[in-house]
Amino acid sequence: MEPGAGDGAPHYNENNAYRRTGEMSPAHARDAEREAARIEPVLKRLWKQGKWDPATVRAALLQLGYEEGDDALTVREMFRRFKGNEYYTPEGAMVGLSVHPDACVTAFVQKSNYGVQTNGPYLETGCFEPPYGH
């Protein structure tokens, strides 16, 4: 069994590596926290207004001066989920902001709630937590 796997599967850490974020430098972590503090009130306002579609969220965040693109702001629909016997895409938007190559702000807004956090990038999916591994 791998160290740190607890009572998990023999290759728990290896099998779940896709869910681990990269390390952020302390300075870049502070920068990410500062950007998260700018994004949070915008998402809170949109959530209270019942506006969580990606186009509206994107427009509101672009007003903060962010630029869209691979190395900046990405706003997308929620990941598909399986419920009952079918896949569906829930209402809402996911936000990824690359503050530095090692620092991200990851957020979401949907009917039930919203959230903002900082993290290092994921190996395969950048600022967005992968919905599943392979």
Side-chain angles (χ1 to χ4, degrees), residues 40-85:
E40 192 274 337
V42 173
L43 296 185
K44 181 178 182 178
R45 175 178 50 83
L46 293 172
W47 178 70
K48 286 183 174 183
Q49 294 172 350
K51 298 178 180 177
W52 41 76
D53 63 281
T56 300
V57 173
R58 181 181 300 108
L61 293 176
L62 289 174
Q63 288 180 352
L64 293 178
Y66 298 122
E67 294 181 15
E68 267 191 295
D70 292 339
D71 294 329
L73 176 71
T74 302
V75 180
R76 54 159 293 160
E77 64 185 15
M78 303 294 279
F79 284 129
R80 289 172 38 122
R81 298 182 185 154
F82 191 77
K83 185 176 182 180
N85 290 326

Side-chain angles (χ1 to χ4, degrees), residues 71-112:
D71 294 329
L73 176 71
T74 302
V75 180
R76 54 159 293 160
E77 64 185 15
M78 303 294 279
F79 284 129
R80 289 172 38 122
R81 298 182 185 154
F82 191 77
K83 185 176 182 180
N85 290 326
E86 61 187 21
Y87 283 97
Y88 74 103
T89 302
E91 289 183 58
M94 295 172 42
V95 177
L97 176 67
S98 178
V99 180
H100 294 288
D102 67 335
C104 294
V105 175
T106 305
F108 70 92
V109 59
Q110 59 189 7
K111 184 177 182 176
S112 59

